Amino acid sequence: MPILNLFNYFPFTKAHIDWTTNRMSSVSFESPALATYLISIAGWMFSYVLTEKGFKRFIPMFLTIILSFLSGSRAGIFVIVIQVLILVMYLMKDKRFKKLFINIFLISSVLGTLMMLFYSKPIIGYISSKVMSFKTSDDVHAMSNKTRFGIQTAMFEVFLNNPIKGAGYGLQAFESSKLYPEWAVKGNWEFKYKYLNDKHKGFPPGFNLYLRLLSETGVIGFTFFMFLIVMLLSWCYKKTFKRQGFQSVIPLMITISMVGFAFNWLKMDTFRIYFFWLCLTLIILIQRQGTRDERKKNNSFNTPLQ
């Protein structure tokens, strides 16, 4: 707590722990914001493994993983694990890092074995509690799960009612409010005082961008968005796993981030993920630079000898 409280000296921040769910906040007041931030920066923190020397290269990656557990976000932990697997796949692919991969694998195996020998009970208990926390009868997360699953169910109903072009962008909450399932609303204060309360100023979240697009823009908008995501992930794969050398390091960082965003949108429904737009900008700049280099190469071949 003394270390966490140091962040309160920064302007406009108030770091804290929600003692109901034991979740650590980010610099914003919402605990999930920390997980979203960690997912965003994971690729850049992991890149130190490739660009630095010695043990210090692992410190940013370890801190990112540790903070993902301290954030208490179930989805955040899952996505960070996926991002780590992408890094491992890259290390296996690139010949320069095969020795590094073997060392990491051996150290991880030894540490994992020792931890399971001495701390198997709390580790199994922690994993079990995270898996069971998705139930609607869980003591801590039951209300939150009912709200999340209930709103997602209502959004899918909106899509079924407007399958082709949707209900209109930004309108899913107005349509969903008529379709919230009884099992989610009954005994749930979040609906009573927030999402079904006309006096509450907050706008109901959708908790899933893909379902939101289906309900608001129908098959047309959803198909367009998925085409964009597939196109971006395809670019990431070609630039990261079809190449070797330093040129693939920055694409690797972008790839890890983009995969994180794709999974993170399963639990949030906003485009306001600033790092996504930063990564998209970097992709455009890299692509433009590649086009310029290709033109210069072609012009050099076509220039007549003096």
Side-chain angles (χ1 to χ4, degrees):
M1 286 304 300
I3 295 174
L4 182 64
N5 289 334
L6 289 175
F7 288 91
N8 292 332
Y9 287 98
F10 290 99
F12 310 113
T13 64
K14 184 175 175 60
H16 67 282
I17 290 179
D18 185 333
W19 295 113
T20 305
T21 57
N22 290 321
R23 297 185 66 175
M24 184 188 295
S25 75
S26 178
V27 293
S28 75
F29 293 102
E30 296 179 315
S31 299
L34 177 57
T36 300
Y37 174 70
L38 294 172
I39 290 168
S40 299
I41 67 167
W44 311 85
M45 297 298 100
F46 295 173
S47 70
Y48 285 92
V49 175
L50 310 176
T51 58
E52 297 295 324
K53 302 293 183 182
F55 181 77
K56 66 180 182 180
R57 68 167 97 173
F58 298 105
I59 294 176
M61 183 175 73
F62 287 152
L63 288 176
T64 303
I65 295 171
I66 290 169
L67 282 171
S68 71
F69 283 93
L70 291 177
S71 74
S73 171
R74 297 159 290 171
I77 295 169
F78 172 76
V79 176
I80 292 288
V81 169
I82 296 295
Q83 291 177 310
V84 170
L85 291 177
I86 293 172
L87 174 67
V88 171
M89 289 168 59
Y90 179 83
L91 294 176
M92 293 174 63
K93 182 270 308 184
D94 199 319
K95 294 178 182 179
R96 298 177 303 156
F97 302 113
K98 281 198 172 178
K99 185 177 179 180
L100 174 62
F101 167 74
I102 293 171
N103 291 336
I104 293 175
F105 178 77
L106 291 174
I107 293 172
S108 301
S109 299
V110 172
L111 290 176
T113 303
L114 290 174
M115 289 182 68
M116 287 303 295
L117 283 174
F118 294 101
Y119 302 103
S120 59
K121 195 170 182 179
I123 290 173
I124 293 172
Y126 177 83
I127 295 172
S128 176
S129 67
K130 289 299 179 185
V131 173
M132 297 300 289
S133 67
F134 287 96
K135 295 171 60 179
T136 55
S137 58
D138 173 67
D139 292 337
V140 177
H141 301 93
M143 202 69 70
S144 174
N145 289 341
K146 282 183 179 180
T147 301
R148 183 182 300 270
F149 298 148
I151 289 177
Q152 290 175 349
T153 301
M155 281 199 298
F156 190 70
E157 290 291 332
V158 173
F159 161 67
L160 293 179
N161 294 336
N162 307 272
I164 306 301
K165 60 179 183 178
Y169 191 72
L171 299 179
Q172 69 81 13
F174 298 101
E175 298 296 325
S176 295
S177 62
K178 311 164 191 172
L179 300 169
Y180 292 142
E182 180 64 24
W183 55 264
V185 176
K186 188 176 181 181
N188 191 335
W189 66 267
E190 291 188 347
F191 284 103
K192 182 178 180 180
Y193 294 107
K194 293 167 68 176
Y195 306 137
L196 288 176
N197 182 6
D198 293 336
K199 295 181 180 179
H200 189 265
K201 294 181 180 180
F203 198 78
F207 295 112
N208 188 307
L209 183 62
Y210 304 107
L211 282 175
R212 177 189 168 186
L213 288 174
L214 277 173
S215 63
E216 293 184 345
T217 63
V219 173
I220 297 174
F222 177 77
T223 302
F224 176 80
F225 181 70
M226 290 308 299
F227 175 76
L228 173 65
I229 295 298
V230 170
M231 187 173 63
L232 292 175
L233 293 178
S234 175
W235 182 94
C236 290
Y237 175 76
K238 290 176 182 177
K239 294 291 185 180
T240 303
F241 291 95
K242 293 292 184 180
R243 291 185 176 186
Q244 289 189 353
F246 187 75
Q247 284 185 333
S248 63
V249 173
I250 292 179
L252 171 66
M253 294 186 257
I254 297 172
T255 299
I256 292 174
S257 296
M258 282 296 184
V259 171
F261 301 140
F263 277 100
N264 198 42
W265 273 322
L266 290 170
K267 72 175 184 66
M268 63 190 310
D269 69 327
T270 178
F271 287 107
R272 201 182 299 166
I273 307 295
Y274 302 119
F275 222 81
F276 168 78
W277 300 106
L278 177 60
C279 288
L280 181 59
T281 303
L282 288 173
I283 289 175
I284 294 170
L285 291 174
I286 292 170
Q287 198 64 25
R288 283 183 177 178
Q289 185 61 45
T291 303
R292 291 195 195 102
D293 294 342
E294 194 68 29
R295 285 175 182 172
K296 287 180 181 179
K297 186 187 293 185
N298 292 335
N299 290 337
S300 65
F301 283 128
N302 296 329
T303 303
L305 294 174
Q306 300 296 327

